[in-house]
Amino acid sequence: MHLGSRRREVLLFLLALILPSAMLVGFGLRMIAQERQLAEERVADEWLTAVGQIRQQLLDGLESIKYAELAAVASETGRIRERAYLNPEVRLISALDGGRVVLPWEETVGPRASDGLADRPFAGWIRQGELAEFRRGDYRTAIESYRRALDLGRQPVQSGHAMLGLARVLAHAQRDEESMAQYRRVLGLAWSVTDEQGTPLALYAATRLLDARLEQRQILDRLDAAIREPGWIAPGTAHMVRDLVENLIETSTEPRVANEARALLGPLGEEISAAEAALDLQREFPSLGVLHPELSTGTARSLWVPDAEGTWLVSSAALPGANSSVVVAVDANAMLVQLQDSTLWPAGQVGQVRTRTSDDASGLLLGAALPGLEVTFQGNGDGGDGWKVQRSFYAITLLLVLTGTFFGAFLVWRDVRRELRLADLRSQFVSSVSHELKTPLTSIRMFAETLQTREQADPATRAEYLGTIVGESERLTRLLNNVLDLSRIEQDRMVYRPRPTSIGDVTRRAVRALEYPLQQEGFSLDITGEEELPPVSVDPDALEQAILNLLTNAMKYSGDSRQIDLRLALEDGHAVIEVTDHGTGIAPHELERLTEKFYRVPTAENRNVPGTGLGLTLVDHMATAHGGELHVRSLIGEGSSFAIRLPLVDAT
């Protein structure tokens, strides 16, 4: 009835606690989902608003730059060639010719190798010198022909071409000093005097002079001036200049010249990168979709497209007041980085404007005027820090509710298990006590009835029967004393009356009380130790009962052994009473539970041994109450040792 009532209480508790908790968790999860959905919708609206504002800001900046540059180029077309841009973000402005980008160095004006080279008789002498030099190896005739051409040259490009040929053939004729003199003259020519490929003739002379380790300072100055001169350098020319600079670094005998040449590599690398990017734009321009029909009517179109590398933003427009159009390229990074610190981003969000790639298209497009550009937000889109705090609050609340629920369930489960275990132990205790009471009562009645029917029994038999009756009575008394002591302990009414007591006297009384049972069961009790131990402050009756409990246990669990040792000793200011059997022993993991009330080690051997599970509980309580302790040592198959340690009266 008790267990059933307990189960009903547990069930009611679980229903009262778990059901409301489950409902609260369900409502909480639903509220979290709704709040999250609203937060995501709010953030999405903020993103769309921010994208529109960013698009307008970026377009305004790009269009402002473009029209400012268009106005400047319309008033002075030389700006394209001279690379004289108003805005530092502009990387290229080039003319459009039938949909083709005409790069600035392709428009370069000035004398070229093709200009004047066909004039007669200059061209004839050049032709004659080349035939003598390359076909017949007649250097003398070649030298004379190039000299005649040099005398006839009226333009710098003609003179430069003739001097370059003369220097070359003089070198073949082993006339090195004359050859180097001609190369020095070519080195002094203007940068605009080029060959058919647009390469300045001075670079060829510089190459020959550097090979001869001559004029390194002059060559360095010419290269430095060429790099720093406003305008574009053709890619082929730029690569040739870089080779010369690297040659100077490796071969220069003057550390200062080498260091100055090394300083030119940075600006030169930028020139080469810009020129190659311009070439890439020229190749891919038809596929960008920037060119459109409105250009033919002189109407500009607000359209900015990233190039293939995503480094430039490209747009085309008609020049104001002219029947021509240009393409404008702006540094994408310079424009987009300006938006990183913009105040247009939603609160709590960090964004980035970038070129959309095929591998990652997770951002929001900026619109038709800026195809290929997208905005990505690094936030989670869940409402920012405010939602995070709210979500954390909900999560912590639910966690606390669930924790409380499971903790309460655990406590109930633990209490139920403990109650069931105690109920089982009590049931075993009642059964054991009933058996323990029945056995001595049966013996007492049997021997008393025997004496009653055999009144003329011999004195020895009568003495034996009376001894049995007395022994069983004492056994019954000990059992009842244990039960009564446990009841007093549980009700906190156990009272000890300690006084200075002789350990030897109490031990001898306990041994005498068990003398008959020991003799009857064939046990040999070996007593060793101090004859006269100092007194201890203890309740003598309680101590005697404790010794009797230890000796009784030793008899029960000795197995086939019939040897029990009782040792009295002094150790560290304590009197020690130790009882040792040589029986079955106790497993190590069972030792800590030996003093629990009603507990008995659950082994097959112990099931056949009568007992109540109270003896060691009472011994431990007595020792602790007198300032001492109970020590247990045991090995399986070798026996157990139980020692009561009590402080001496004069111990400090």
Side-chain angles (χ1 to χ4, degrees):
M1 185 66 180
H2 175 72
L3 291 179
S5 175
R6 191 68 175 178
R7 291 192 184 95
R8 285 194 298 272
E9 291 178 3
V10 171
L11 180 60
L12 291 175
F13 173 80
L14 292 177
L15 290 176
L17 181 63
I18 294 179
L19 285 181
S21 299
M23 294 177 63
L24 180 60
V25 169
F27 286 131
L29 293 176
R30 182 178 179 183
M31 184 179 299
I32 290 175
Q34 291 177 345
E35 289 291 334
R36 183 181 181 86
Q37 182 179 0
L38 291 174
E40 290 176 351
E41 292 176 355
R42 182 171 61 253
V43 170
D45 292 339
E46 292 176 353
W47 284 0
L48 290 176
T49 302
V51 168
Q53 294 174 342
I54 291 169
R55 175 175 59 249
Q56 192 60 47
Q57 179 175 322
L58 183 57
L59 271 178
D60 290 345
L62 290 171
E63 292 297 300
S64 175
I65 291 173
K66 180 171 71 173
Y67 286 112
E69 297 292 347
L70 289 177
V73 170
S75 62
E76 187 180 351
T77 57
R79 285 180 173 273
I80 294 179
R81 198 167 51 248
E82 296 170 2
R83 207 175 180 181
Y85 307 142
L86 298 178
N87 297 276
E89 296 86 2
V90 177
R91 292 293 176 263
L92 175 68
I93 300 177
S94 290
L96 288 173
D97 183 11
R100 178 182 179 274
V101 177
V102 181
L103 297 175
W105 58 83
E106 297 175 343
E107 291 185 333
T108 303
V109 296
R112 296 179 181 270
S114 58
D115 300 336
L117 293 183
D119 293 347
R120 296 188 182 192
F122 173 81
W125 287 111
I126 291 293
R127 178 63 177 168
Q128 184 176 335
E130 290 174 347
L131 290 173
E133 178 185 1
F134 296 114
R135 289 194 178 183
R136 299 193 300 272
D138 184 357
Y139 299 137
R140 184 174 182 179
T141 301
I143 291 172
E144 184 63 28
S145 299
Y146 287 135
R147 287 188 186 280
R148 295 294 298 274
L150 181 59
D151 293 338
L152 294 173
R154 295 293 180 267
Q155 300 175 12
V157 68
Q158 292 175 335
S159 300
H161 200 79
M163 285 188 292
L164 197 60
L166 180 58
R168 185 177 60 249
V169 75
L170 285 171
H172 289 316
Q174 306 297 320
R175 297 162 63 175
D176 294 335
E177 290 187 6
E178 296 179 69
S179 174
M180 292 299 109
Q182 293 298 324
Y183 278 130
R184 289 188 182 94
R185 294 179 64 187
V186 177
L187 182 64
L189 293 176
W191 207 254
S192 59
V193 180
T194 65
D195 62 5
E196 293 88 343
Q197 287 75 36
T199 303
L201 298 181
L203 289 181
Y204 295 110
T207 301
R208 297 301 180 184
L209 290 170
L210 278 182
D211 290 342
R213 306 286 178 91
L214 298 173
E215 308 298 336
Q216 292 182 342
R217 166 54 63 182
Q218 184 180 358
I219 293 172
L220 177 62
D221 292 341
R222 288 301 314 274
L223 296 177
D224 180 64
I227 294 172
R228 302 186 187 281
E229 182 180 352
W232 286 87
I233 302 177
T237 302
H239 284 288
M240 192 171 183
V241 170
R242 183 174 63 183
D243 293 340
L244 290 172
V245 171
E246 292 175 349
N247 193 350
L248 267 174
I249 295 172
E250 295 176 1
T251 62
S252 177
T253 57
E254 299 182 30
R256 183 175 180 182
V257 172
N259 290 334
E260 292 180 10
R262 192 174 289 107
L264 295 179
L265 289 177
L268 185 57
E270 294 177 0
E271 289 291 333
I272 293 175
S273 297
E276 291 178 346
L279 285 173
D280 292 339
L281 175 61
Q282 185 184 55
R283 286 191 295 268
E284 68 190 33
F285 183 77
S287 63
L288 292 181
V290 178
L291 191 64
H292 45 79
E294 288 87 342
L295 289 177
S296 60
T297 63
T299 303
R301 180 183 181 189
S302 297
L303 181 67
W304 291 87
V305 181
D307 63 355
E309 299 297 327
T311 56
W312 287 358
L313 292 175
V314 182
S315 181
S316 60
L319 282 175
N323 191 22
S324 60
S325 55
V326 296
V327 61
V328 180
V330 178
D331 186 351
N333 291 330
M335 297 300 299
L336 300 182
V337 167
Q338 295 177 6
L339 298 173
Q340 294 306 112
D341 299 327
S342 174
T343 59
L344 302 177
W345 302 109
Q349 298 290 326
V350 178
Q352 180 184 15
V353 183
R354 66 181 187 182
T355 303
R356 169 167 284 197
T357 62
S358 57
D359 296 334
D360 184 5
S362 58
L364 300 176
L365 289 173
L366 277 177
L370 295 165
L373 292 181
E374 65 179 8
V375 179
T376 59
F377 294 89
Q378 297 177 11
N380 296 325
D382 56 4
D385 294 338
W387 163 243
K388 291 180 181 178
V389 172
Q390 191 176 18
R391 181 179 59 188
S392 300
F393 173 76
Y394 287 147
I396 292 174
T397 302
L398 290 178
L399 181 62
L400 290 176
V401 170
L402 292 176
T403 301
T405 300
F406 287 112
F407 183 69
F410 167 75
L411 293 179
V412 172
W413 172 77
R414 188 187 64 176
D415 290 345
V416 169
R417 288 196 62 187
R418 183 169 61 243
E419 289 294 331
L420 291 176
R421 185 169 62 249
L422 288 176
D424 184 56
L425 291 176
R426 286 193 181 95
S427 177
Q428 294 179 8
F429 168 73
V430 171
S431 176
S432 298
V433 168
S434 300
H435 179 74
E436 289 284 294
L437 291 173
K438 183 178 180 181
T439 300
L441 287 175
T442 301
S443 298
I444 291 172
R445 180 176 180 177
M446 179 185 67
F447 284 104
E449 290 178 349
T450 302
L451 288 175
Q452 186 178 23
T453 57
R454 297 174 61 182
E455 296 180 356
Q456 303 301 322
D458 61 273
T461 302
R462 289 177 60 84
E464 178 184 357
Y465 288 174
L466 290 175
T468 301
I469 292 172
V470 171
E472 292 299 319
S473 299
E474 292 178 347
R475 176 181 172 187
L476 183 60
T477 301
R478 290 194 300 273
L479 175 61
L480 294 175
N481 287 337
N482 284 342
V483 174
L484 293 175
D485 287 345
L486 176 65
S487 176
R488 294 189 187 100
I489 290 173
E490 287 186 333
Q491 298 175 18
D492 198 21
R493 293 191 300 106
M494 186 65 181
V495 178
Y496 295 103
R497 295 178 175 81
R499 63 176 181 271
T501 303
S502 171
I503 296 292
D505 292 344
V506 175
T507 303
R508 283 189 288 272
R509 286 202 305 271
V511 170
R512 281 198 302 271
L514 285 179
E515 184 176 1
Y516 183 78
L518 290 169
Q519 181 180 1
Q520 287 293 102
E521 297 186 26
F523 280 97
S524 173
L525 179 62
D526 185 11
I527 304 175
T528 60
E530 302 290 340
E531 292 295 334
E532 292 296 336
L533 291 176
V536 295
S537 180
V538 67
D539 186 324
D541 294 335
L543 179 59
E544 180 181 354
Q545 184 68 29
I547 296 173
L548 286 171
N549 286 339
L550 294 182
L551 290 173
T552 303
N553 278 352
M555 293 171 61
K556 290 180 180 179
Y557 300 106
S558 286
D560 296 333
S561 173
R562 285 298 177 265
Q563 177 64 39
I564 298 175
D565 299 324
L566 175 60
R567 183 176 71 92
L568 305 179
L570 288 177
E571 293 180 359
D572 300 328
H574 287 74
V576 178
I577 307 167
E578 184 177 27
V579 176
T580 303
D581 65 66
H582 303 279
T584 57
I586 305 170
H589 66 276
E590 298 285 356
L591 295 179
E592 62 182 13
R593 299 193 60 188
L594 289 179
T595 57
E596 291 183 14
K597 58 184 178 181
F598 310 131
Y599 183 77
R600 303 185 68 203
V601 178
T603 61
E605 295 85 354
N606 291 348
R607 292 193 184 97
N608 299 321
V609 177
T612 60
L614 297 179
L616 293 179
T617 303
L618 298 175
V619 173
D620 180 67
H621 188 273
M622 185 281 302
T624 303
H626 289 85
E629 54 190 348
L630 174 65
H631 285 187
V632 183
R633 292 181 292 107
S634 183
L635 290 175
I636 295 295
E638 296 185 13
S640 304
S641 176
F642 296 85
I644 301 173
R645 293 172 55 88
L646 296 172
L648 300 176
V649 170
D650 57 348
T652 58

